[in-house]
Amino acid sequence: MTNSELAVKAVIDTWNQTIARFDSILDKLTDEQLENEVAPGKNRGVYILGHMVAVHDRLMPLLGFGPQSYPELDEVFLTSPDKAKATPPIATLRTQWKEVNANLAKYYAQLSADDWFGKHTAVTADDFAKEPHRNKFNVLVSRTNHLSYHFGQLILMK
Amino acid sequence: MTNSELAVKAVIDTWNQTIARFDSILDKLTDEQLENEVAPGKNRGVYILGHMVAVHDRLMPLLGFGPQSYPELDEVFLTSPDKAKATPPIATLRTQWKEVNANLAKYYAQLSADDWFGKHTAVTADDFAKEPHRNKFNVLVSRTNHLSYHFGQLILMK
C-alpha cells in the first residue's frame, strides 16, 4: 500500500469503528431514553441522532456521490436548536441513520486513494488549484471527528 | 504537496483546531466548575483533563519523540476510574496540559510525511512489515478522534 492509501485506510477504519460503537450504544438506548437530555439543559439524544443523520446525509452531495435523501431534516437538526421544531419519530431516524451510513460505506469503498484527494463539491476548480487541502479526504477527517465528538455525548446516556 | 503530505496536513490541522477549541472552553471553566461531573454520575471535568494530559503525554514515547513527563498520572487517570484516587491540583493539570501539547506540536512540525507512515514504538519491525497500517499516522488519527470525543463531553460543562 502507498502512504496515501494507508492514510485513507486509517481514517475510514476509524470512521467504521466509531459508527459501530455509536450504533452499539444507540441500540441499547430506548426511544424513551433518547427523549432525555445528554446533560441537564443540553441537547436531547433524539436531537443528536437527527443531527447525525442530517450531517451524514449531506456528505452525499458534498462528496459527489448523489443527492441528499432527507433534506427536510436540515431545518429541524441543522439550522434550528433542539426543541425549536417538532422531531420525526425516533424509529424513523434510527432507520435513516442506518441507511445513510450503509450508503456512504458503499461509495467510500468505490473511491481510490487518489479520488479522496480530489476536490469536494463545495470548492470551485480555481480555488481548489490554490487550496488543494480542500479535498474529499479533508471532509472525511472532519466528519469522522464530528462523529467522535457527538459519540462522546451519546455515550453519557448509557 | 503530495497526497500523503495533504493527508498529514488534514489531520494535524484538525488536531490543532480541536486543541484550540478544547482550550477555549477549559480557560472559561473555573477550577470549581471542573470539580463537577459532565453529566450526572459521569466523569468529572478534572478527570477528563487529567486523562487527556496522560494520554497526550504517552504519545511522546509511542511516537518515538522522548520520555513521558508525568508517568504518575497513569494510575490516577488511565488505570483507575474517576474518584478512585486523589487528583493533583487542577492548576497543575492545566499547566501540564499546555506543556505536553506545546511539546507535541514541536515534534509534529519536525516529521516529514514519510516519517508519519513509519512504525510507532509499540509494534515490532517484523509485525510492522506485515501490518504497515500500524504507523504513527494511524496513532495521530486515533488520538485526534479521542480528543474530539472528550471535547464533546467537556463542552457540556460550559
Short mmCIF file of all heavy atoms in Angstrom, two decimals, chain A residues 3-4 6-7 9-11 13-14 18 21 38-40 42 113-114 117 132-133 135 137-138 141-142 144-145 148-149 151-153 155-158, chain B residues 3-4 6-7 9-11 13-14 18 21 38-40 42 113-114 117 132-133 135 137-138 141-142 144-145 148-149 151-153 155-158:
data_model
loop_
_atom_site.label_atom_id
_atom_site.label_comp_id
_atom_site.label_asym_id
_atom_site.label_seq_id
_atom_site.Cartn_x
_atom_site.Cartn_y
_atom_site.Cartn_z
N ASN A 3 1.58 5.34 0.87
CA ASN A 3 1.28 6.14 2.07
C ASN A 3 -0.10 6.80 1.98
O ASN A 3 -0.81 6.88 2.98
CB ASN A 3 2.36 7.19 2.29
CG ASN A 3 3.66 6.56 2.77
OD1 ASN A 3 3.69 5.37 3.13
ND2 ASN A 3 4.73 7.33 2.78
N SER A 4 -0.50 7.25 0.80
CA SER A 4 -1.82 7.88 0.73
C SER A 4 -2.93 6.83 0.88
O SER A 4 -3.97 7.11 1.47
CB SER A 4 -1.99 8.74 -0.52
OG SER A 4 -1.75 8.01 -1.68
N LEU A 6 -2.58 4.19 2.81
CA LEU A 6 -2.56 3.93 4.26
C LEU A 6 -3.29 5.04 5.02
O LEU A 6 -3.97 4.79 6.02
CB LEU A 6 -1.12 3.82 4.76
CG LEU A 6 -0.38 2.53 4.37
CD1 LEU A 6 1.13 2.68 4.58
CD2 LEU A 6 -0.90 1.33 5.18
N ALA A 7 -3.15 6.27 4.53
CA ALA A 7 -3.82 7.40 5.18
C ALA A 7 -5.34 7.25 5.08
O ALA A 7 -6.07 7.43 6.06
CB ALA A 7 -3.37 8.71 4.54
N LYS A 9 -7.02 4.51 4.55
CA LYS A 9 -7.43 3.35 5.37
C LYS A 9 -7.53 3.73 6.86
O LYS A 9 -8.48 3.34 7.55
CB LYS A 9 -6.42 2.20 5.19
CG LYS A 9 -6.69 1.00 6.11
CD LYS A 9 -5.70 -0.14 5.91
CE LYS A 9 -5.75 -1.17 7.05
NZ LYS A 9 -7.08 -1.69 7.35
N ALA A 10 -6.56 4.49 7.35
CA ALA A 10 -6.56 4.87 8.78
C ALA A 10 -7.85 5.61 9.14
O ALA A 10 -8.46 5.35 10.18
CB ALA A 10 -5.34 5.73 9.11
N VAL A 11 -8.26 6.53 8.28
CA VAL A 11 -9.42 7.36 8.63
C VAL A 11 -10.72 6.57 8.39
O VAL A 11 -11.64 6.63 9.22
CB VAL A 11 -9.41 8.70 7.87
CG1 VAL A 11 -10.61 9.55 8.26
CG2 VAL A 11 -8.11 9.46 8.18
N ASP A 13 -11.08 3.35 8.61
CA ASP A 13 -11.16 2.38 9.72
C ASP A 13 -11.71 3.06 10.98
O ASP A 13 -12.54 2.48 11.70
CB ASP A 13 -9.79 1.78 10.02
CG ASP A 13 -9.37 0.72 9.00
OD1 ASP A 13 -10.17 0.39 8.11
OD2 ASP A 13 -8.21 0.22 9.10
N THR A 14 -11.23 4.27 11.25
CA THR A 14 -11.71 5.00 12.45
C THR A 14 -13.18 5.36 12.29
O THR A 14 -13.96 5.26 13.24
CB THR A 14 -10.84 6.26 12.68
OG1 THR A 14 -9.49 5.84 12.85
CG2 THR A 14 -11.28 7.01 13.93
N THR A 18 -16.04 3.90 14.78
CA THR A 18 -16.82 4.84 15.59
C THR A 18 -18.31 4.68 15.28
O THR A 18 -19.15 4.74 16.19
CB THR A 18 -16.33 6.29 15.37
OG1 THR A 18 -14.91 6.29 15.47
CG2 THR A 18 -16.90 7.22 16.43
N ARG A 21 -19.39 1.66 17.24
CA ARG A 21 -19.51 1.95 18.68
C ARG A 21 -20.74 2.83 18.94
O ARG A 21 -21.45 2.63 19.94
CB ARG A 21 -18.24 2.64 19.19
CG ARG A 21 -17.00 1.73 19.13
CD ARG A 21 -15.72 2.50 19.47
NE ARG A 21 -15.67 2.92 20.85
CZ ARG A 21 -14.88 3.88 21.33
NH1 ARG A 21 -14.07 4.56 20.51
NH2 ARG A 21 -14.89 4.19 22.61
N VAL A 38 -28.72 14.84 27.18
CA VAL A 38 -27.47 14.13 27.49
C VAL A 38 -26.85 14.65 28.80
O VAL A 38 -26.16 13.92 29.51
CB VAL A 38 -26.42 14.18 26.35
CG1 VAL A 38 -26.95 13.49 25.11
CG2 VAL A 38 -25.99 15.60 26.05
N ALA A 39 -27.08 15.91 29.10
CA ALA A 39 -26.70 16.52 30.38
C ALA A 39 -27.74 17.61 30.63
O ALA A 39 -28.38 18.09 29.69
CB ALA A 39 -25.29 17.11 30.30
N PRO A 40 -27.94 18.02 31.89
CA PRO A 40 -29.02 18.98 32.18
C PRO A 40 -28.92 20.25 31.34
O PRO A 40 -27.87 20.90 31.30
CB PRO A 40 -28.80 19.28 33.68
CG PRO A 40 -28.11 18.06 34.21
CD PRO A 40 -27.22 17.59 33.10
N LYS A 42 -28.89 20.48 28.13
CA LYS A 42 -28.17 20.29 26.85
C LYS A 42 -29.06 19.54 25.85
O LYS A 42 -30.20 19.21 26.14
CB LYS A 42 -26.86 19.54 27.09
CG LYS A 42 -25.96 20.20 28.12
CD LYS A 42 -25.54 21.61 27.70
CE LYS A 42 -24.77 22.32 28.80
NZ LYS A 42 -24.36 23.66 28.41
N ALA A 113 -7.56 5.95 -3.50
CA ALA A 113 -6.89 6.95 -2.64
C ALA A 113 -6.79 8.27 -3.39
O ALA A 113 -7.06 9.34 -2.83
CB ALA A 113 -5.52 6.45 -2.22
N ASP A 114 -6.42 8.21 -4.67
CA ASP A 114 -6.31 9.46 -5.44
C ASP A 114 -7.63 10.21 -5.51
O ASP A 114 -7.67 11.44 -5.42
CB ASP A 114 -5.82 9.16 -6.87
CG ASP A 114 -4.31 8.96 -6.92
OD1 ASP A 114 -3.63 9.20 -5.89
OD2 ASP A 114 -3.81 8.55 -7.99
N PHE A 117 -8.28 12.52 -2.69
CA PHE A 117 -7.55 13.80 -2.67
C PHE A 117 -7.99 14.73 -3.80
O PHE A 117 -7.39 15.78 -4.02
CB PHE A 117 -6.04 13.55 -2.64
CG PHE A 117 -5.64 12.89 -1.35
CD1 PHE A 117 -5.53 11.50 -1.26
CD2 PHE A 117 -5.46 13.65 -0.21
CE1 PHE A 117 -5.22 10.89 -0.06
CE2 PHE A 117 -5.15 13.05 1.00
CZ PHE A 117 -5.03 11.66 1.08
N PRO A 132 -5.33 23.06 -2.35
CA PRO A 132 -5.56 21.63 -2.61
C PRO A 132 -5.91 20.82 -1.36
O PRO A 132 -6.25 19.64 -1.48
CB PRO A 132 -4.22 21.16 -3.19
CG PRO A 132 -3.21 22.12 -2.65
CD PRO A 132 -3.92 23.45 -2.55
N HIS A 133 -5.84 21.47 -0.20
CA HIS A 133 -6.26 20.76 1.02
C HIS A 133 -7.78 20.69 1.13
O HIS A 133 -8.30 19.99 2.00
CB HIS A 133 -5.67 21.42 2.27
CG HIS A 133 -6.13 22.83 2.47
ND1 HIS A 133 -5.56 23.90 1.82
CD2 HIS A 133 -7.13 23.34 3.22
CE1 HIS A 133 -6.18 25.01 2.18
NE2 HIS A 133 -7.14 24.70 3.01
N ASN A 135 -10.00 19.00 -0.08
CA ASN A 135 -10.29 17.76 -0.80
C ASN A 135 -11.27 16.89 -0.02
O ASN A 135 -11.64 17.20 1.12
CB ASN A 135 -8.97 17.02 -1.08
CG ASN A 135 -8.14 16.85 0.18
OD1 ASN A 135 -8.64 16.36 1.18
ND2 ASN A 135 -6.87 17.28 0.16
N PHE A 137 -10.80 14.00 1.26
CA PHE A 137 -10.18 13.40 2.44
C PHE A 137 -10.32 14.33 3.65
O PHE A 137 -10.60 13.88 4.77
CB PHE A 137 -8.70 13.12 2.16
CG PHE A 137 -7.98 12.46 3.32
CD1 PHE A 137 -8.11 11.10 3.56
CD2 PHE A 137 -7.17 13.21 4.17
CE1 PHE A 137 -7.46 10.49 4.63
CE2 PHE A 137 -6.52 12.60 5.24
CZ PHE A 137 -6.66 11.25 5.46
N ASN A 138 -10.12 15.60 3.42
CA ASN A 138 -10.25 16.59 4.49
C ASN A 138 -11.66 16.58 5.08
O ASN A 138 -11.84 16.67 6.31
CB ASN A 138 -9.92 17.97 3.91
CG ASN A 138 -9.50 18.96 4.97
OD1 ASN A 138 -8.67 18.68 5.80
ND2 ASN A 138 -10.12 20.13 4.93
N VAL A 141 -11.97 13.45 7.27
CA VAL A 141 -11.31 13.64 8.58
C VAL A 141 -12.20 14.49 9.49
O VAL A 141 -12.42 14.17 10.65
CB VAL A 141 -9.92 14.30 8.40
CG1 VAL A 141 -9.35 14.75 9.74
CG2 VAL A 141 -8.96 13.35 7.70
N SER A 142 -12.72 15.57 8.93
CA SER A 142 -13.55 16.48 9.71
C SER A 142 -14.82 15.80 10.22
O SER A 142 -15.18 15.91 11.39
CB SER A 142 -13.87 17.69 8.83
OG SER A 142 -14.90 18.45 9.38
N THR A 144 -15.37 12.59 10.56
CA THR A 144 -15.05 11.50 11.49
C THR A 144 -14.87 12.07 12.89
O THR A 144 -15.35 11.49 13.88
CB THR A 144 -13.78 10.75 11.03
OG1 THR A 144 -13.96 10.29 9.69
CG2 THR A 144 -13.49 9.54 11.92
N ASN A 145 -14.22 13.21 12.99
CA ASN A 145 -14.06 13.86 14.30
C ASN A 145 -15.39 14.40 14.83
O ASN A 145 -15.64 14.38 16.03
CB ASN A 145 -12.98 14.95 14.23
CG ASN A 145 -11.59 14.35 14.36
OD1 ASN A 145 -11.10 14.14 15.46
ND2 ASN A 145 -10.98 14.01 13.24
N SER A 148 -17.03 11.46 16.37
CA SER A 148 -16.42 11.13 17.67
C SER A 148 -16.90 12.10 18.76
O SER A 148 -17.17 11.70 19.89
CB SER A 148 -14.89 11.19 17.58
OG SER A 148 -14.41 10.15 16.77
N TYR A 149 -17.01 13.37 18.38
CA TYR A 149 -17.46 14.42 19.31
C TYR A 149 -18.87 14.09 19.84
O TYR A 149 -19.11 14.10 21.04
CB TYR A 149 -17.45 15.73 18.52
CG TYR A 149 -18.03 16.96 19.16
CD1 TYR A 149 -17.23 17.86 19.85
CD2 TYR A 149 -19.38 17.26 19.02
CE1 TYR A 149 -17.76 19.01 20.41
CE2 TYR A 149 -19.92 18.42 19.57
CZ TYR A 149 -19.11 19.29 20.27
OH TYR A 149 -19.64 20.43 20.81
N PHE A 151 -20.42 11.18 19.58
CA PHE A 151 -20.42 9.87 20.24
C PHE A 151 -20.03 10.04 21.72
O PHE A 151 -20.61 9.38 22.60
CB PHE A 151 -19.46 8.91 19.52
CG PHE A 151 -19.32 7.60 20.23
CD1 PHE A 151 -20.44 6.84 20.54
CD2 PHE A 151 -18.08 7.13 20.61
CE1 PHE A 151 -20.32 5.63 21.22
CE2 PHE A 151 -17.95 5.93 21.28
CZ PHE A 151 -19.06 5.18 21.59
N GLY A 152 -19.09 10.92 21.98
CA GLY A 152 -18.68 11.21 23.36
C GLY A 152 -19.85 11.73 24.20
O GLY A 152 -19.85 11.56 25.43
N GLN A 153 -20.82 12.34 23.55
CA GLN A 153 -22.00 12.84 24.27
C GLN A 153 -23.07 11.74 24.40
O GLN A 153 -23.63 11.55 25.48
CB GLN A 153 -22.57 14.05 23.52
CG GLN A 153 -21.56 15.20 23.48
CD GLN A 153 -21.99 16.37 22.64
OE1 GLN A 153 -22.80 16.25 21.73
NE2 GLN A 153 -21.42 17.54 22.93
N ILE A 155 -22.75 8.60 24.56
CA ILE A 155 -22.36 7.54 25.49
C ILE A 155 -22.69 7.92 26.94
O ILE A 155 -22.82 7.04 27.79
CB ILE A 155 -20.87 7.18 25.31
CG1 ILE A 155 -20.60 5.75 25.77
CG2 ILE A 155 -19.95 8.19 25.98
CD1 ILE A 155 -19.25 5.22 25.39
N LEU A 156 -22.86 9.22 27.20
CA LEU A 156 -23.23 9.66 28.55
C LEU A 156 -24.64 9.23 28.92
O LEU A 156 -25.02 9.25 30.10
CB LEU A 156 -23.10 11.19 28.67
CG LEU A 156 -21.69 11.75 28.44
CD1 LEU A 156 -21.74 13.27 28.42
CD2 LEU A 156 -20.73 11.26 29.52
N MET A 157 -25.46 8.85 27.93
CA MET A 157 -26.84 8.44 28.18
C MET A 157 -26.94 6.98 28.60
O MET A 157 -28.02 6.52 28.99
CB MET A 157 -27.70 8.62 26.93
CG MET A 157 -27.65 10.01 26.35
SD MET A 157 -29.02 10.31 25.22
CE MET A 157 -30.33 10.71 26.40
N LYS A 158 -25.84 6.28 28.48
CA LYS A 158 -25.84 4.82 28.75
C LYS A 158 -26.19 4.54 30.21
O LYS A 158 -25.69 5.22 31.10
CB LYS A 158 -24.45 4.23 28.42
CG LYS A 158 -24.44 2.76 28.19
CD LYS A 158 -23.08 2.26 27.78
CE LYS A 158 -22.00 2.62 28.80
NZ LYS A 158 -20.73 1.90 28.58
N ASN B 3 -0.12 13.75 -2.03
CA ASN B 3 -1.33 13.32 -1.33
C ASN B 3 -1.03 12.93 0.12
O ASN B 3 -1.83 13.20 1.01
CB ASN B 3 -1.98 12.15 -2.08
CG ASN B 3 -2.63 12.62 -3.37
OD1 ASN B 3 -2.77 13.84 -3.60
ND2 ASN B 3 -3.04 11.69 -4.21
N SER B 4 0.12 12.29 0.35
CA SER B 4 0.39 11.91 1.75
C SER B 4 0.71 13.15 2.60
O SER B 4 0.35 13.21 3.78
CB SER B 4 1.48 10.84 1.85
OG SER B 4 2.66 11.25 1.22
N LEU B 6 -0.76 16.04 2.05
CA LEU B 6 -2.10 16.61 2.27
C LEU B 6 -2.83 15.85 3.37
O LEU B 6 -3.58 16.44 4.15
CB LEU B 6 -2.91 16.57 0.96
CG LEU B 6 -2.48 17.58 -0.10
CD1 LEU B 6 -3.07 17.21 -1.46
CD2 LEU B 6 -2.91 19.00 0.29
N ALA B 7 -2.62 14.53 3.41
CA ALA B 7 -3.28 13.71 4.44
C ALA B 7 -2.78 14.11 5.83
O ALA B 7 -3.58 14.29 6.76
CB ALA B 7 -3.01 12.23 4.18
N LYS B 9 -1.39 16.92 6.70
CA LYS B 9 -1.87 18.29 7.00
C LYS B 9 -3.33 18.27 7.48
O LYS B 9 -3.67 18.97 8.44
CB LYS B 9 -1.74 19.16 5.74
CG LYS B 9 -2.34 20.57 5.92
CD LYS B 9 -2.17 21.43 4.68
CE LYS B 9 -3.05 22.68 4.73
NZ LYS B 9 -2.92 23.50 5.92
N ALA B 10 -4.17 17.47 6.83
CA ALA B 10 -5.60 17.44 7.20
C ALA B 10 -5.76 17.02 8.67
O ALA B 10 -6.56 17.61 9.40
CB ALA B 10 -6.36 16.47 6.29
N VAL B 11 -5.00 16.02 9.09
CA VAL B 11 -5.19 15.52 10.46
C VAL B 11 -4.52 16.44 11.47
O VAL B 11 -5.09 16.73 12.53
CB VAL B 11 -4.72 14.06 10.59
CG1 VAL B 11 -4.95 13.55 12.01
CG2 VAL B 11 -5.46 13.17 9.60
N ASP B 13 -4.06 19.66 11.14
CA ASP B 13 -4.93 20.85 11.22
C ASP B 13 -6.12 20.58 12.15
O ASP B 13 -6.50 21.44 12.96
CB ASP B 13 -5.46 21.25 9.83
CG ASP B 13 -4.40 21.96 8.99
OD1 ASP B 13 -3.29 22.23 9.50
OD2 ASP B 13 -4.68 22.24 7.80
N THR B 14 -6.73 19.39 12.01
CA THR B 14 -7.87 19.05 12.87
C THR B 14 -7.43 18.93 14.33
O THR B 14 -8.12 19.38 15.24
CB THR B 14 -8.53 17.75 12.38
OG1 THR B 14 -8.94 17.93 11.03
CG2 THR B 14 -9.75 17.38 13.21
N THR B 18 -8.85 21.40 17.23
CA THR B 18 -9.60 20.81 18.35
C THR B 18 -8.92 21.15 19.68
O THR B 18 -9.59 21.44 20.68
CB THR B 18 -9.77 19.30 18.16
OG1 THR B 18 -10.20 19.05 16.82
CG2 THR B 18 -10.81 18.73 19.12
N ARG B 21 -10.01 24.66 20.41
CA ARG B 21 -11.40 24.73 20.88
C ARG B 21 -11.51 24.18 22.31
O ARG B 21 -12.25 24.71 23.14
CB ARG B 21 -12.32 23.96 19.93
CG ARG B 21 -12.40 24.60 18.53
CD ARG B 21 -13.16 23.70 17.55
NE ARG B 21 -14.57 23.61 17.88
CZ ARG B 21 -15.39 22.65 17.43
NH1 ARG B 21 -14.94 21.69 16.64
NH2 ARG B 21 -16.66 22.63 17.78
N VAL B 38 -19.55 15.91 34.25
CA VAL B 38 -20.03 16.45 32.96
C VAL B 38 -21.51 16.13 32.76
O VAL B 38 -22.22 16.87 32.07
CB VAL B 38 -19.20 15.96 31.75
CG1 VAL B 38 -17.75 16.45 31.84
CG2 VAL B 38 -19.24 14.45 31.57
N ALA B 39 -21.98 15.04 33.33
CA ALA B 39 -23.39 14.66 33.34
C ALA B 39 -23.58 13.85 34.63
O ALA B 39 -22.60 13.29 35.14
CB ALA B 39 -23.76 13.85 32.11
N PRO B 40 -24.80 13.78 35.15
CA PRO B 40 -24.99 13.12 36.45
C PRO B 40 -24.43 11.69 36.49
O PRO B 40 -24.76 10.87 35.63
CB PRO B 40 -26.52 13.13 36.62
CG PRO B 40 -26.98 14.30 35.80
CD PRO B 40 -26.06 14.35 34.63
N LYS B 42 -21.42 10.75 35.87
CA LYS B 42 -20.34 10.52 34.88
C LYS B 42 -19.03 11.17 35.36
O LYS B 42 -18.99 11.74 36.44
CB LYS B 42 -20.75 11.07 33.51
CG LYS B 42 -22.08 10.50 33.00
CD LYS B 42 -22.03 8.99 32.81
CE LYS B 42 -23.40 8.42 32.45
NZ LYS B 42 -23.35 6.96 32.26
N ALA B 113 6.16 13.83 5.94
CA ALA B 113 5.02 12.94 5.69
C ALA B 113 5.47 11.48 5.73
O ALA B 113 4.80 10.63 6.33
CB ALA B 113 4.37 13.28 4.36
N ASP B 114 6.59 11.18 5.12
CA ASP B 114 7.08 9.80 5.13
C ASP B 114 7.33 9.30 6.56
O ASP B 114 7.04 8.14 6.88
CB ASP B 114 8.38 9.68 4.31
CG ASP B 114 8.10 9.60 2.82
OD1 ASP B 114 6.92 9.50 2.44
OD2 ASP B 114 9.07 9.64 2.04
N PHE B 117 4.40 7.83 8.26
CA PHE B 117 3.97 6.48 7.84
C PHE B 117 4.98 5.41 8.25
O PHE B 117 4.87 4.25 7.85
CB PHE B 117 3.62 6.47 6.35
CG PHE B 117 2.42 7.31 6.08
CD1 PHE B 117 2.54 8.64 5.68
CD2 PHE B 117 1.15 6.82 6.31
CE1 PHE B 117 1.44 9.45 5.50
CE2 PHE B 117 0.03 7.62 6.13
CZ PHE B 117 0.17 8.93 5.71
N PRO B 132 1.49 -2.73 7.85
CA PRO B 132 2.04 -1.36 7.70
C PRO B 132 1.07 -0.26 8.12
O PRO B 132 1.46 0.91 8.16
CB PRO B 132 2.35 -1.28 6.20
CG PRO B 132 1.43 -2.26 5.57
CD PRO B 132 1.28 -3.39 6.56
N HIS B 133 -0.17 -0.63 8.43
CA HIS B 133 -1.10 0.40 8.90
C HIS B 133 -0.83 0.76 10.36
O HIS B 133 -1.40 1.71 10.88
CB HIS B 133 -2.55 -0.07 8.74
CG HIS B 133 -2.88 -1.28 9.54
ND1 HIS B 133 -2.60 -2.56 9.09
CD2 HIS B 133 -3.44 -1.43 10.76
CE1 HIS B 133 -2.98 -3.43 10.00
NE2 HIS B 133 -3.48 -2.78 11.03
N ASN B 135 1.17 2.52 11.87
CA ASN B 135 2.15 3.59 11.72
C ASN B 135 1.80 4.78 12.63
O ASN B 135 0.74 4.80 13.27
CB ASN B 135 2.22 4.01 10.24
CG ASN B 135 0.85 4.30 9.66
OD1 ASN B 135 0.10 5.08 10.22
ND2 ASN B 135 0.51 3.65 8.54
N PHE B 137 0.98 7.74 11.79
CA PHE B 137 -0.20 8.48 11.30
C PHE B 137 -1.49 7.89 11.88
O PHE B 137 -2.40 8.62 12.26
CB PHE B 137 -0.24 8.43 9.76
CG PHE B 137 -1.39 9.19 9.16
CD1 PHE B 137 -1.34 10.58 9.05
CD2 PHE B 137 -2.53 8.54 8.72
CE1 PHE B 137 -2.41 11.29 8.50
CE2 PHE B 137 -3.59 9.24 8.17
CZ PHE B 137 -3.54 10.62 8.06
N ASN B 138 -1.53 6.57 11.93
CA ASN B 138 -2.70 5.89 12.48
C ASN B 138 -2.92 6.28 13.95
O ASN B 138 -4.06 6.50 14.38
CB ASN B 138 -2.47 4.38 12.37
CG ASN B 138 -3.75 3.60 12.39
OD1 ASN B 138 -4.70 3.91 11.69
ND2 ASN B 138 -3.79 2.58 13.23
N VAL B 141 -4.37 9.82 13.99
CA VAL B 141 -5.81 9.82 13.66
C VAL B 141 -6.61 9.37 14.87
O VAL B 141 -7.62 9.99 15.25
CB VAL B 141 -6.09 8.90 12.45
CG1 VAL B 141 -7.59 8.68 12.26
CG2 VAL B 141 -5.48 9.48 11.17
N SER B 142 -6.16 8.32 15.50
CA SER B 142 -6.86 7.76 16.64
C SER B 142 -6.91 8.75 17.81
O SER B 142 -7.97 8.97 18.41
CB SER B 142 -6.16 6.45 17.04
OG SER B 142 -6.58 6.04 18.30
N THR B 144 -6.54 12.00 17.69
CA THR B 144 -7.31 13.19 17.32
C THR B 144 -8.80 12.92 17.56
O THR B 144 -9.52 13.77 18.09
CB THR B 144 -7.05 13.59 15.86
OG1 THR B 144 -5.65 13.76 15.66
CG2 THR B 144 -7.75 14.89 15.49
N ASN B 145 -9.25 11.73 17.22
CA ASN B 145 -10.65 11.38 17.47
C ASN B 145 -10.92 11.22 18.97
O ASN B 145 -12.01 11.55 19.45
CB ASN B 145 -11.04 10.13 16.69
CG ASN B 145 -11.39 10.47 15.25
OD1 ASN B 145 -12.53 10.82 14.95
ND2 ASN B 145 -10.41 10.44 14.36
N SER B 148 -11.47 14.68 20.18
CA SER B 148 -12.81 15.17 19.80
C SER B 148 -13.89 14.56 20.69
O SER B 148 -14.84 15.25 21.09
CB SER B 148 -13.10 14.80 18.34
OG SER B 148 -12.26 15.54 17.48
N TYR B 149 -13.75 13.29 21.00
CA TYR B 149 -14.70 12.56 21.85
C TYR B 149 -14.80 13.25 23.22
O TYR B 149 -15.90 13.56 23.70
CB TYR B 149 -14.18 11.12 21.97
CG TYR B 149 -14.87 10.21 22.94
CD1 TYR B 149 -15.90 9.36 22.51
CD2 TYR B 149 -14.46 10.11 24.27
CE1 TYR B 149 -16.51 8.47 23.39
CE2 TYR B 149 -15.07 9.23 25.14
CZ TYR B 149 -16.09 8.41 24.70
OH TYR B 149 -16.69 7.53 25.57
N PHE B 151 -13.67 16.26 24.01
CA PHE B 151 -14.06 17.66 23.85
C PHE B 151 -15.59 17.76 23.81
O PHE B 151 -16.18 18.67 24.40
CB PHE B 151 -13.44 18.26 22.58
CG PHE B 151 -13.92 19.66 22.29
CD1 PHE B 151 -13.82 20.65 23.25
CD2 PHE B 151 -14.49 19.97 21.06
CE1 PHE B 151 -14.28 21.94 22.99
CE2 PHE B 151 -14.95 21.25 20.81
CZ PHE B 151 -14.85 22.23 21.77
N GLY B 152 -16.23 16.80 23.16
CA GLY B 152 -17.70 16.76 23.11
C GLY B 152 -18.32 16.66 24.50
O GLY B 152 -19.46 17.09 24.72
N GLN B 153 -17.55 16.09 25.44
CA GLN B 153 -18.04 15.99 26.83
C GLN B 153 -17.71 17.26 27.62
O GLN B 153 -18.57 17.79 28.33
CB GLN B 153 -17.39 14.76 27.49
CG GLN B 153 -17.81 13.48 26.77
CD GLN B 153 -17.12 12.23 27.27
OE1 GLN B 153 -16.04 12.31 27.85
NE2 GLN B 153 -17.74 11.09 27.04
N ILE B 155 -17.39 20.25 26.65
CA ILE B 155 -18.19 21.40 26.23
C ILE B 155 -19.56 21.43 26.92
O ILE B 155 -20.18 22.48 27.02
CB ILE B 155 -18.31 21.45 24.68
CG1 ILE B 155 -18.56 22.89 24.21
CG2 ILE B 155 -19.36 20.50 24.18
CD1 ILE B 155 -18.44 23.06 22.70
N LEU B 156 -19.99 20.28 27.42
CA LEU B 156 -21.27 20.22 28.13
C LEU B 156 -21.21 20.97 29.47
O LEU B 156 -22.24 21.28 30.06
CB LEU B 156 -21.68 18.76 28.38
CG LEU B 156 -21.92 17.92 27.12
CD1 LEU B 156 -22.16 16.47 27.51
CD2 LEU B 156 -23.10 18.46 26.31
N MET B 157 -20.00 21.26 29.96
CA MET B 157 -19.84 21.96 31.24
C MET B 157 -19.95 23.47 31.09
O MET B 157 -19.97 24.18 32.08
CB MET B 157 -18.46 21.65 31.85
CG MET B 157 -18.18 20.19 31.99
SD MET B 157 -16.81 19.88 33.14
CE MET B 157 -17.70 19.95 34.71
N LYS B 158 -19.98 23.92 29.84
CA LYS B 158 -19.98 25.36 29.58
C LYS B 158 -21.24 26.01 30.15
O LYS B 158 -22.32 25.48 30.01
CB LYS B 158 -19.91 25.61 28.06
CG LYS B 158 -19.43 26.98 27.70
CD LYS B 158 -19.29 27.12 26.18
CE LYS B 158 -20.57 26.76 25.44
NZ LYS B 158 -20.52 27.17 24.01
#
